[in-house]
Amino acid sequence: LYFGSECGDIKKLSLCAEILNEENEAFGEILGEKLSEGMSFPAAREEALLSVCPECNVLDMPNNILGVEYLRELKSLKSSISAHTIKRIGAGYNDTNTDEKIPSASGIRKLIENRESLNEYMLFDYKSAPHFMKDFDIIVASRLKAISKEELCALPDCNEEIASRLKSASVFNTFADILENASCRRYTQSRIRRVLCNMIVGNNFKSLPAPTYIRPLAFNDRGSEILRKMKSTASLPVAARGAVLKSDDIFNLECRCTDIYNLASGILGGREYDYVVRTF
């Protein structure tokens, strides 16, 4: 497993993962203290980790954090997969400055939003444009006004306090205003954003169940050979068309996500049922 990180030091990231997985008493006490002081969980965890291990000064950068989570999962599973990291170069995460030779994903999305040329940064001609959260203002605002506090509490990443903050922010009519007014130092915008996204697609899974099907998105000739073999050897059904999955809860969630995303383009629902796998 190869992943990018700001520090580029697999030993340091692995040490962080080991300490976080152990959750020793000193770490837990400091984490609790910082949370009670009103710190957000990411900031409190970083402070607690630095207190027990000053070498673990990496959780202030997003790709380091993601890499540590990969390593934690591998260690928890006692996986035989070996992990390696590649040092991230160019613009930092969420840096929208496109003067860098290698801009961040946020910088590229800003260019797309502003309809500026991407030719200098892309390996292929990018013609289509993704949606941005502002495209879902009406959907988010109307759903938040209609949903009950109890229904909000049932969503992943939500609790009673977040539900109260969101209901108070439901007087606003844009995603940006709702996000700004519902978030705080303890409950970050990232967390509130996840709750709102889960709200509009009706995701009530506190944790996603194990996969129930394999659905290829695209394949070449070699992939076609593998898929033919998988139909008799795979532990899960290999489904190309959605019609055979209509009673599956995860597939129905996938359908809702696609249909709601397509609302911003005026595309009719039901695309997942008819989707044909792309070959190349």
Side-chain angles (χ1 to χ4, degrees), residues 134-265:
K134 66 182 182 181
D135 297 321
F136 300 92
D137 281 349
I138 293 176
I139 299 170
V140 172
S142 59
R143 180 68 179 128
L144 185 57
K145 293 177 195 304
I147 195 171
S148 70
K149 185 176 172 182
E150 291 71 28
E151 288 173 309
L152 279 170
C153 286
L155 298 172
D157 276 321
C158 198
N159 58 29
E160 191 169 342
E161 187 176 349
I162 292 175
S164 294
R165 296 186 67 86
L166 281 169
K167 289 306 290 182
S168 295
S170 66
V171 296
F172 297 98
N173 294 329
T174 68
F175 182 89
D177 286 341
I178 291 168
L179 190 63
E180 182 179 349
N181 285 277
S183 60
C184 61
R185 187 168 65 167
R186 182 163 191 174
Y187 299 117
T188 62
Q189 288 198 1
S190 294
R191 183 169 180 179
I192 300 298
R193 189 182 293 111
R194 288 196 299 272
V195 173
L196 289 171
C197 287
N198 281 315
M199 176 191 72
I200 62 173
V201 299
N203 176 24
N204 292 322
F205 290 111
K206 286 292 186 181
S207 60
L208 289 175
T212 54
Y213 59 91
I214 297 169
R215 195 171 184 218
L217 300 181
F219 54 83
N220 57 14
D221 290 341
R222 175 62 179 147
S224 180
E225 291 177 25
I226 294 170
L227 285 170
R228 276 197 297 271
K229 292 179 181 178
M230 286 174 63
K231 287 185 177 180
S232 59
T233 60
S235 59
L236 295 175
V238 180
R241 288 185 176 272
V244 299
L245 300 169
K246 58 184 179 182
S247 61
D248 188 281
D249 290 340
I250 295 295
F251 178 68
N252 285 323
L253 172 60
E254 188 176 352
C255 289
R256 292 198 298 274
C257 292
T258 299
D259 287 352
I260 291 169
Y261 185 82
N262 284 339
L263 272 176
S265 303

Side-chain angles (χ1 to χ4, degrees), residues 102-120:
I102 303 176
S104 69
S106 297
I108 290 175
R109 281 193 292 271
K110 182 181 177 183
L111 290 173
I112 293 172
E113 191 171 13
N114 294 338
R115 301 183 182 280
E116 297 180 46
S117 173
L118 302 173
N119 294 341
E120 186 179 347

Side-chain angles (χ1 to χ4, degrees), residues 217-221 276-280:
L217 300 181
F219 54 83
N220 57 14
D221 290 341
V276 177
V277 179
R278 183 172 66 90
T279 57
F280 59 93

